[in-house]
Amino acid sequence: MRRVCLTLPTHRACAGTIAAVGEEAAYGAKQFGVEVHLLILDSSPAPVLGRHREAVAALPPSPGVTVHHLDENEQRAFLREVTVRSGAEREGQDRLLDLMLPSRVSYGACTNRAFLIAQALGCTSVHRRDSDSRYQHLDGEPVFPLHQELTYLGRRADDVRESATRSKLPAGSGDRRVAITGGSFVGEMSVDVAEIRDLDPDTYRELVGLSIPEGYPEIWRGHLIDASFRGAGDTVFSGDRTTLAPISPMHVDMCNIGLGHEVYSRVPLPPATDTIGSDYFLTHLVHDARLPGVQHNRHIVNFHTPERRTDAGFLAYQLRFAKFLLSKTYLNAVYARTAAAGDALLDAEGHIRASVVAGFVRDSIGLDRAGNARRLDVLDRAYRRLGDRYATVADTLAESRSRLLGEARDDMGHFALLMEHWEALSGASAEVGQGGVLPLTAGHRPAVNR
């Protein structure tokens, strides 16, 4: 029977989301006759973790669904076993473990852990949701993205061409399998970026413009700036619409995505810490490799947890936004090369050539840091222009200037290192699962791991 992994990484209170995603898992198992492994990767503090344990225990038993709720200690035990089995040297094992389970927030690392555990569980795909998202409803019923993900993911593009609303497949890619399915979000855009836009639209455009590659025509820059952080706007779901094509990274969100194992078993996500957007690398890669995808309109409803509106939450997000802008210097250089490579990113079997991608990442490390120094100058002026608590952000960036410049470069080195070991780690994860070492239970009733 086909096994899939529906994952919810979290580090904050989200008992309501756990219940909603549990309902989506039950829907997928019932409607598609698959085994759904609902994987909750929990980095929350102890009181919140306890409430999540209760929320998991309250999930109604559902045939075909197994729930795995892992705290960081349980995740670390699994990852330790994987690094040992991967063949990495002892010192390298510790380094890899730090990259997969860092002490700071990492959007890429939490998803990488889901990829490896999915390998251990024998799943053919990973479907990610986020703690600050809800589902749309139609006629009183929730609109689950898992429906489209399970309908299309892993099937030959030519076999699903007729069932899609429209097709924009490149010539010669009909025999390739659908590698990615995705929708976006509706509702609130990022609360902190939205505030900048409301306070000073010109400053907003200046800051977001730092993420756009240099040399783009102004008309395209304006379009990309306008589309950034907006999701699908206020679109209301009224019926399914799907497009079969390589999916633009601008049109999907990581809270609403499904990826096939042929992608994530070969290439991980950047494990950069405190950097928003670091988990979108694979969306760029599968697009540039011209792998088929299905873009759908089962958009998730975005909302913001109370923590995001506190002063501490505000500062944390702004610093992650700044690191995102610094990371784009390196990532845009990599994306330029993957876009130019196109089909050459794939081997004779149509699989991504991880060594080629790793080389692009490694080469980017040598870029001159002067461009990022100028970015920090722009950020400083912009935040001081906005004033009030944004001045505190400027002060913090100024105090951390040297560290931030170094981290942006080092993050790419860490990514290249992880990528070079990734296929061995993926293989070791599968061995751990087959050997029964993984402390995850299988069955048809929710299983809480303590």
Side-chain angles (χ1 to χ4, degrees), residues 83-102:
T83 56
V84 169
R85 290 190 180 221
S86 73
E89 297 181 356
R90 175 64 188 180
E91 194 171 306
Q93 293 171 20
D94 293 339
R95 190 72 196 98
L96 291 171
L97 184 58
D98 287 342
L99 294 179
M100 291 185 289
L101 189 57

Side-chain angles (χ1 to χ4, degrees), residues 340-386:
D343 287 340
L345 291 170
L346 306 178
D347 62 20
E349 286 73 43
H351 301 143
I352 291 174
R353 298 164 62 199
S355 61
V356 172
V357 183
F360 293 164
V361 173
R362 183 72 70 184
D363 289 347
S364 75
I365 300 169
L367 290 172
D368 190 343
R369 297 200 315 182
N372 268 351
R374 289 192 293 271
R375 276 179 168 78
L376 283 176
D377 291 340
V378 173
L379 283 163
D380 185 84
R381 291 192 298 269
Y383 282 127
R384 296 193 189 283
R385 188 186 313 135
L386 291 169

Side-chain angles (χ1 to χ4, degrees), residues 130-332:
D130 281 353
S131 56
D132 54 354
S133 54
R134 301 188 180 103
Y135 299 103
Q136 293 192 76
H137 284 74
L138 179 67
D139 298 330
E141 296 296 325
V143 179
F144 293 129
L146 193 60
H147 181 95
Q148 300 294 32
E149 294 167 352
L150 295 180
T151 296
Y152 291 104
L153 202 57
R155 299 178 63 188
R156 288 178 67 253
D158 274 345
D159 292 342
V160 298
R161 189 192 298 262
E162 295 302 318
S163 63
T165 307
R166 62 174 180 165
S167 173
K168 299 167 64 177
L169 278 179
S173 60
D175 280 338
R176 296 175 182 170
R177 297 189 178 275
V178 175
I180 183 173
T181 54
S184 190
F185 69 89
V186 293
E188 299 177 274
M189 67 182 292
S190 172
V191 62
D192 305 296
V193 179
E195 183 179 81
I196 295 175
R197 185 193 60 182
D198 294 341
L199 287 171
D200 188 337
D202 290 337
T203 294
Y204 171 81
R205 295 179 67 81
E206 180 182 33
L207 289 177
V208 176
L210 293 175
S211 68
I212 311 300
E214 295 181 5
Y216 267 40
E218 193 57 37
I219 188 171
W220 280 106
R221 288 182 63 81
H223 172 73
L224 291 172
I225 291 170
D226 289 341
S228 296
F229 299 99
R230 297 298 300 276
D234 297 321
T235 304
V236 176
F237 182 83
S238 59
D240 285 310
R241 294 187 299 279
T242 52
T243 300
L244 177 66
I247 301 177
S248 167
M250 295 292 292
H251 295 152
V252 296
D253 191 86
M254 283 301 294
C255 70
N256 191 356
I257 199 166
L259 285 163
H261 74 282
E262 294 291 1
V263 174
Y264 62 74
S265 66
R266 290 176 167 80
V267 181
L269 293 167
T273 55
D274 296 324
T275 307
I276 66 165
S278 56
D279 47 351
Y280 283 79
F281 186 86
L282 292 180
T283 65
H284 288 266
L285 186 57
V286 296
H287 173 268
D288 292 346
R290 301 201 302 173
L291 290 173
V294 170
Q295 180 183 331
H296 61 78
N297 65 327
R298 292 187 171 225
H299 305 310
I300 276 175
V301 181
N302 186 52
F303 71 95
H304 298 295
T305 57
E307 178 270 342
R308 289 291 299 279
R309 302 183 188 278
T310 65
D311 287 342
F314 166 81
L315 179 59
Y317 183 88
Q318 293 300 330
L319 296 177
R320 293 168 192 166
F321 177 54
K323 276 204 68 180
F324 160 72
L325 296 175
L326 297 180
S327 75
K328 292 294 281 187
T329 292
Y330 301 94
L331 290 172
N332 284 341

Side-chain angles (χ1 to χ4, degrees), residues 49-57 69 71 74 448-450:
L49 178 65
R51 292 195 290 274
H52 289 172
R53 297 287 192 206
E54 295 171 358
V56 170
H69 182 200
D71 62 26
E74 292 160 325
V448 183
N449 297 278
R450 302 185 186 278

